[in-house]
Amino acid sequence: MKKFFVIGNPIDHSLSPKLHNYWFKKNNIEAIYDKKELNSDNLKNFISGIKEKKIFGINVTVPFKKSVIPFLDKLSPEAETTQSVNTIYLDSEKVIGHNTDIIGFQNSIRNVSYDIKDKKILLLGAGGVAPSIIFALNKMSVSKIFVSNRTKEKAENLKDYFENLIVVDWGEIPSFDMIINATSVGLNNNDRINLDLSKIEKGKFFYDIIYNPEETEFLKLGKNLGHQTENGKKMFIYQAAESFHIWHGVKPNVDEDTNKILNQ
Ligand code: ATR
């Protein structure tokens, strides 16, 4: 039986096992997907299970997406540029690290039929997920990417990898079409981002990477002001679907049932 894991710390709340085990059943694949809480000390040992063929595939989540890199043989170009790995597998006896968060984000935008090409984007946050979002935005040919982070230096550092970024001060709101919350503000209920978004024009798109809670204060505000909103649930589902495709060569169906599974 093929074994899969999602590794992180904490990992209790990960929905990846639910999703992958559901898709195994749907696609008649004999495999099992579990979660494993690790510390940085046992990452190396755990990942060696891939080369030893005890583990077929690993998903990586916070806080290890960068720290797994020294224990891999090769990175995909996406993982290399973003320095972020969420999917590990064996190919020609080499342990490969790939980043499917990028395609996850792209597909979530396609899914809502938002015409993102030539749009001006304001990205809030410069933490772990930011490079994946920027990589995807560039692939989708947006016109401008403003980045604003409470600690400005971290936003400036992103320019080493993405030259086209325009860094703005925290609190400054440039004219934009779409605003993306990639900070961790909102993970705790009632968390509020201390930005004044009340004066922006109508018809913008508020996107939050967070999907639990389903509607952050950021999205509530966007909705109340009459803007389009979307949380990170589809991004989560599509990153999982892409990992599944890499490991099994099959594209799982992403439909209403998939959504329901995650709500159970
Ligand atoms: P890390 O910064 O270790 O990569 P992360 O969870 O990937 O952690 O990123 C958290 C993001 O949320 C960062 O952009 C962080 O801003 P700082 O770089 O200034 O820490 C942002 N963030 C967290 N709490 C915040 C708050 N109260 N207000 C604004 N931004 C916040």
Side-chain angles (χ1 to χ4, degrees):
M1 175 105 68
K2 285 180 184 171
K3 275 193 184 155
F4 297 83
F5 288 94
V6 57
I7 60 173
N9 195 338
I11 200 65
D12 239 15
H13 292 100
S14 172
L15 294 173
S16 294
K18 228 180 203 180
L19 200 50
H20 282 272
N21 286 318
Y22 168 74
W23 283 333
F24 290 158
K25 260 196 207 144
K26 278 255 164 188
N27 293 280
N28 297 315
I29 293 170
E30 270 214 36
I32 183 141
Y33 189 116
D34 214 341
K35 50 192 164 195
K36 183 88 183 165
E37 185 171 294
L38 293 181
N39 296 310
S40 32
D41 302 350
N42 40 29
L43 277 182
K44 185 181 182 183
N45 186 39
F46 195 82
I47 293 170
S48 66
I50 294 271
K51 206 163 232 169
E52 293 157 11
K53 299 184 183 165
K54 290 181 196 153
I55 304 173
F56 199 90
I58 299 174
N59 275 140
V60 185
T61 187
V62 179
F64 300 132
K65 288 186 181 185
K66 190 179 167 79
S67 46
V68 294
I69 293 177
F71 312 123
L72 309 173
D73 296 325
K74 205 177 149 195
L75 297 182
S76 69
E78 289 87 348
E80 181 73 51
T81 307
T82 57
Q83 288 292 293
S84 177
V85 167
N86 79 330
T87 305
I88 299 176
Y89 59 100
L90 196 69
D91 184 28
S92 309
E93 301 303 314
K94 292 218 175 324
V95 184
I96 313 286
H98 183 45
N99 176 338
T100 70
D101 290 327
I102 298 167
I103 193 108
F105 179 74
Q106 282 182 270
N107 284 342
S108 77
I109 299 293
R110 280 191 201 117
N111 182 260
V112 291
S113 304
Y114 179 70
D115 185 9
I116 198 168
K117 192 169 178 289
D118 294 329
K119 293 291 196 293
K120 286 179 280 183
I121 315 295
L122 172 57
L123 176 65
L124 306 175
V129 73
S132 302
I133 303 298
I134 297 165
F135 194 108
L137 291 171
N138 280 335
K139 267 176 90 177
M140 293 185 286
S141 307
V142 301
S143 72
K144 279 184 187 157
I145 307 173
F146 299 101
V147 182
S148 180
N149 194 53
R150 182 179 60 176
T151 312
K152 193 174 181 183
E153 194 191 351
K154 269 166 75 182
E156 296 283 2
N157 290 344
L158 284 171
K159 281 165 107 177
D160 293 345
Y161 294 93
F162 305 100
E163 288 173 1
N164 62 327
L165 297 181
I166 305 164
V167 175
V168 298
D169 283 336
W170 185 252
E172 187 188 339
I173 309 292
S175 160
F176 65 83
D177 300 301
M178 177 183 186
I179 182 167
I180 303 169
N181 177 34
T183 73
S184 48
V185 184
L187 278 174
N188 297 316
N189 268 318
N190 308 322
D191 263 3
R192 261 170 222 274
I193 298 184
N194 62 337
L195 293 176
D196 182 8
L197 297 169
S198 60
K199 294 184 188 71
I200 57 175
E201 293 159 26
K202 294 271 167 261
K204 309 299 183 196
F205 185 14
F206 279 53
Y207 189 109
D208 203 321
I209 307 296
I210 296 170
Y211 59 90
N212 188 13
E214 215 160 306
E215 198 172 57
T216 57
E217 291 297 323
F218 171 78
L219 289 189
K220 273 184 202 151
L221 173 75
K223 206 183 218 176
N224 289 339
L225 293 171
H227 302 287
Q228 180 179 350
T229 60
E230 180 73 14
N231 71 14
K233 196 166 176 191
K234 283 278 158 55
M235 176 177 169
F236 171 74
I237 294 173
Y238 283 116
Q239 65 74 30
E242 187 63 19
S243 297
F244 193 94
H245 184 213
I246 288 170
W247 291 328
H248 309 288
V250 181
K251 282 201 174 166
N253 241 346
V254 176
D255 51 21
E256 261 318 295
D257 283 352
T258 325
N259 253 329
K260 277 187 211 143
I261 283 292
L262 295 184
N263 292 335
Q264 280 170 12

